[in-house]
Amino acid sequence: MKIVAPSMLSCNFGELGDEIEMVNKSKAGWFHLDIMDGVFVPNLTVGPDVVASIRPLLSIDFEAHLMVVDPDLLAPLYIEAGCSTILVHAEACTHLHKTLATIKDLGATPAVALNPHTPPEAISQVRDLLGLVLVMTVNPGFGGQTYISEMESKVVRVAEMLEGYDCDIEVDGGIGPSTIAAAAAAGANVFVSGSALFRDPEGLSLIHI
Ligand code: DX5
Ligand code: ZN
């Protein structure tokens, strides 16, 4: 199943209620929350209290993309806030297997995100724990960056590695009308999109892929 996940990062926070209502009326499958701590990436976003306050406004699942240096500390807080999928970066997890197992024990879907420089083999020993793998198609930290098409070969390899596993493959960064088809052809089935959905009046048509 193909899923589009609008990224809250590109919402106009001064009109958050209206933006969320637009997502509610769309065919979005999940709501993507970019959680940044100002250390793992040079940007800051929202804490779990903000996520908990938005949670009742949307019926679709929330996924928290944790771009933080201490996912073990923060993952439980975002699960408590109502996120059903927790994405941790392989680069931030010394004990990735343990971190994913803990997320699963807490009742959420464990997921791994791979920065552009991280090889697909980073998931090889944790595949049985994963519900989702995110191949970053930009370096994380900001919306509106240029899609790195070289990541498509990584998506292909991840798809090969996940044959026989019940695991979605997501792409995040620069996804819009001109890039989504190639990412899908490589094997992705979940598409995070920020600027293309929220900055372009026609952006929500992407939802109909
Ligand atoms: C970047 C974030 C993305 C971002 C995508 O660090 O992980 O989720 O919001 O934004 P666009 O679609 O504008 O690249
Ligand atoms: Zn993201």
Side-chain angles (χ1 to χ4, degrees):
M1 187 175 55
K2 287 196 168 67
I3 293 169
V4 172
S7 166
M8 184 188 168
L9 189 63
S10 294
C11 285
N12 177 346
F13 282 70
E15 297 173 6
L16 191 55
D18 290 347
E19 302 271 55
I20 284 176
E21 195 43 38
M22 192 173 74
V23 173
N24 252 335
K25 287 181 179 152
S26 76
K27 293 200 171 96
W30 300 342
F31 198 44
H32 183 88
L33 296 136
D34 287 303
I35 310 301
M36 306 183 183
D37 66 355
V39 182
F40 184 76
V41 290
N43 199 359
L44 274 173
T45 57
V46 297
D49 290 349
V50 175
V51 174
S53 69
I54 296 165
R55 182 56 283 190
L57 306 179
L58 280 161
S59 55
I60 55 177
D61 285 348
F62 279 22
E63 59 172 2
H65 176 191
L66 300 185
M67 288 161 274
V68 303
V69 291
D70 196 345
D72 293 309
L73 174 74
L74 296 177
L77 305 183
Y78 287 91
I79 295 171
E80 181 69 28
C83 296
S84 46
T85 296
I86 301 290
L87 287 142
V88 297
H89 269 265
E91 305 83 17
C93 295
T94 308
H95 302 286
L96 180 60
H97 188 280
K98 186 177 175 186
T99 299
L100 296 170
T102 302
I103 291 167
K104 191 172 186 180
D105 286 347
L106 291 172
T109 299
V112 169
L114 304 176
N115 273 342
H117 76 277
T118 302
E121 286 68 29
I123 66 167
S124 66
Q125 301 303 315
V126 294
R127 283 174 285 184
D128 53 344
L129 282 166
L130 292 172
L132 172 71
V133 172
L134 168 55
V135 176
M136 290 301 302
T137 43
V138 297
N139 283 288
F142 301 93
Q145 300 184 78
T146 302
Y147 175 79
I148 305 172
S149 60
E150 288 79 6
M151 292 303 111
E152 287 161 14
S153 60
K154 192 196 290 190
V155 173
V156 169
R157 179 69 188 125
V158 166
E160 286 169 1
M161 292 175 71
L162 290 173
E163 264 174 43
Y165 291 86
D166 184 16
C167 188
D168 292 308
I169 302 176
E170 182 170 47
V171 283
D172 180 8
I175 300 296
S178 63
T179 55
I180 194 164
N189 72 301
V190 186
F191 307 92
V192 179
S193 186
S195 337
L197 290 185
F198 289 104
R199 296 277 169 262
D200 172 358
E202 302 300 316
L204 279 173
S205 62
L206 190 63
I207 296 286
H208 301 291
I209 55 128

